[in-house]
Amino acid sequence: MWMERIEEYVRRNRVDEAVRLILSEGDGVVKAELLAELLKRVIRLDDYRYVKGELLKCRYEAPDRKTKALILSVIGEALFSSGDEKEGVKFFREAMSVARGIGVETWRAEALIGVALNLVRAGFYDDALYLFSEAFEAITVLEGEEPEKALRLLRKLADSMVFSVEWIDSGEWAVEFFNWASEVYEHAGLGIPAKTVRAKAALIERAIAGDVQFLRRILAEDWVDGAVLMARYMPPEKKGSAFLEISFWLLANGRRDLGEQVFNDAIELLSRFGASDKYLSSIAFDFVKLGYPDLALRLVRLIRSDELSSRVLARVAVEYLREGDELMARTITLNIPNESIKSKVLQQIGGGGNVGYEQGLPLTRG
């Protein structure tokens, strides 16, 4: 709700009203976070300076060192992400220093976790992981004296490392964070989340290797979240194919709007990085069989082989003919590069019926 209202104010060029709204927030950290998000959205230089000034004031309102460390890291992330990298790093360093100087282990651990999360958002994965490890050391001091509090903090630490992956665009670093989180879960005696996180790390390792076949296999088991995680960390030359597989699964499961949206993303990636003609023609046949000849037609444009593109176009034309759209079928047929295949389809259009299936035109993948 907050962000929707802020974005509306930005669209209407009423940044001053957005600031007044945010300043009514009583929680200092939340206020700083909202101002930080506003700072990233403003366009005019005067607005940037105004919002930045209000954001910087937040550090003077912190009632304790833990809150101050968190606010400083919020400021650091906002400035760094807005292009003011040098000043952003300065605030990050101050945040780390303040967090490390906290004498109470509980507060120090919580401050270190919060600062680490903002470091991840800014792309400082190494520094963030080091702070998470420092938080773990602080928590272990509590285990003998306050085991329940230590367990709560261990869970928070591991959850935060898992959550961090949402901002990590490197597969290798994502695996590193997941592996550390699984170790913390295990240390806390939380076997189930540890196992779940290890499974996700294994998926990302498969993704880094570009294993689209494995992604297809887990989709067959309806593990779409795992497939999405894999697609995110696929190499550029495999990512388009991964998105295409997810699109197919979504369409096959009745989620048309999202499926077509993912298909559009796949096409954009494939246009940039490509895929083999054999793969593209194979999955194009599947889209036709699923009842989406229009999507198969878009894939044809990416196929370089005249032979394979002709076979796909023939199958698409047959499908439109089956649906009763003879004009579309004829138009597509006339654009088939292979004259032999074109002739066969034209004969079918003239004869009607389902002759195309009897002629052995490809119906399924592979």
Side-chain angles (χ1 to χ4, degrees):
M1 178 181 175
W2 270 106
M3 290 315 304
E4 290 177 1
R5 295 179 68 182
I6 289 171
E7 287 173 355
E8 177 62 24
Y9 280 129
V10 173
R11 281 194 297 270
R12 293 160 56 191
N13 292 320
R14 296 168 68 177
V15 174
D16 55 337
E17 292 187 32
V19 170
R20 280 198 293 272
L21 175 66
I22 293 171
L23 293 180
S24 67
E25 168 61 47
D27 187 306
V29 176
V30 173
K31 183 194 298 182
E33 289 173 341
L34 292 171
L35 286 168
E37 291 304 314
L38 177 60
L39 188 71
K40 298 172 193 176
R41 286 164 170 76
V42 296
I43 300 173
R44 295 167 50 196
L45 181 59
D46 287 346
D47 289 336
Y48 180 85
R49 289 171 175 165
Y50 171 48
V51 176
K52 178 182 175 181
E54 294 298 328
L55 175 60
L56 294 180
K57 290 178 185 176
C58 292
R59 70 192 194 274
Y60 300 120
E61 301 171 6
D64 52 63
R65 291 175 65 82
K66 182 182 81 171
T67 305
K68 183 177 181 180
L70 295 175
I71 290 175
L72 287 169
S73 69
V74 169
I75 295 172
E77 190 277 326
L79 294 176
F80 190 89
S81 299
S82 299
D84 200 345
E85 297 180 1
K86 185 176 181 180
E87 194 167 7
V89 169
K90 183 188 77 173
F91 277 97
F92 268 133
R93 286 175 177 164
E94 187 178 354
M96 294 164 68
S97 176
V98 172
R100 285 169 170 156
I102 297 172
V104 180
E105 282 80 6
T106 303
W107 295 349
R108 182 164 74 253
E110 290 178 340
L112 289 167
I113 291 169
V115 173
L117 283 169
N118 282 308
L119 282 166
V120 174
R121 294 186 69 182
F124 295 105
Y125 306 144
D126 199 359
D127 292 317
L129 204 56
Y130 197 81
L131 257 63
F132 280 136
S133 68
E134 289 186 33
F136 178 76
E137 292 172 6
I139 295 168
T140 55
V141 175
L142 291 171
E143 287 185 300
E145 303 172 358
E146 301 180 81
E148 290 186 6
K149 184 178 288 185
L151 179 59
R152 178 183 63 81
L153 285 171
L154 285 170
R155 181 65 188 253
K156 180 178 181 179
L157 172 61
D159 288 348
S160 295
M161 283 192 280
V162 171
F163 182 65
S164 295
V165 175
E166 293 294 323
W167 298 309
I168 295 176
D169 55 13
S170 161
E172 289 80 4
W173 274 110
V175 170
E176 188 80 8
F177 273 69
F178 275 149
N179 285 337
W180 271 72
S182 68
E183 291 180 16
V184 176
Y185 280 130
E186 286 176 345
H187 182 88
L190 301 169
I192 293 176
K195 182 178 179 180
T196 300
V197 170
R198 281 198 303 272
K200 289 182 177 181
L203 282 181
I204 296 176
E205 288 175 339
R206 291 267 195 170
I208 293 170
D211 195 343
V212 178
Q213 291 286 347
F214 189 78
L215 180 144
R216 189 180 301 136
R217 191 185 313 164
I218 65 175
L219 279 174
E221 298 170 359
D222 291 336
W223 190 9
V224 67
D225 289 343
V228 170
L229 181 64
M230 282 191 69
R232 182 178 167 195
Y233 292 107
M234 284 277 179
E237 66 274 12
K238 296 286 187 178
K239 190 168 289 190
S241 301
F243 274 61
L244 209 53
E245 295 290 343
I246 294 170
S247 169
F248 185 86
W249 185 92
L250 291 167
L251 292 168
N253 285 272
R255 300 173 67 177
R256 179 166 183 166
D257 289 345
L258 184 56
E260 292 186 349
Q261 180 181 329
V262 175
F263 183 89
N264 291 334
D265 293 338
I267 288 291
E268 182 181 350
L269 287 164
L270 291 166
S271 298
R272 292 166 58 195
F273 301 106
S276 73
D277 287 347
K278 184 178 179 181
Y279 172 77
L280 291 171
S281 60
S282 175
I283 198 167
F285 287 133
D286 265 8
F287 276 106
V288 177
K289 189 175 180 180
L290 190 62
Y292 290 92
D294 56 323
L295 300 185
L297 197 57
R298 292 176 64 188
L299 286 171
V300 171
R301 298 167 188 160
L302 302 174
I303 300 173
R304 291 159 295 184
S305 164
D306 283 352
E307 175 71 18
L308 291 175
S309 65
S310 295
R311 290 183 178 276
V312 175
L313 285 170
R315 183 63 185 86
V316 170
V318 168
E319 180 64 18
Y320 276 112
L321 182 64
R322 189 186 67 80
E323 293 177 356
D325 192 342
E326 184 176 333
L327 178 60
M328 186 65 171
R330 186 175 297 276
T331 301
I332 292 170
T333 303
L334 292 173
N335 284 281
I336 294 176
N338 185 291
E339 292 297 330
S340 175
I341 295 174
K342 180 192 294 185
S343 178
K344 289 179 181 179
V345 181
L346 284 172
Q347 289 175 16
Q348 176 175 343
I349 292 174
N354 290 321
V355 183
Y357 299 106
E358 298 169 359
Q359 290 175 341
L361 294 176
L363 300 180
T364 59
R365 295 177 64 181

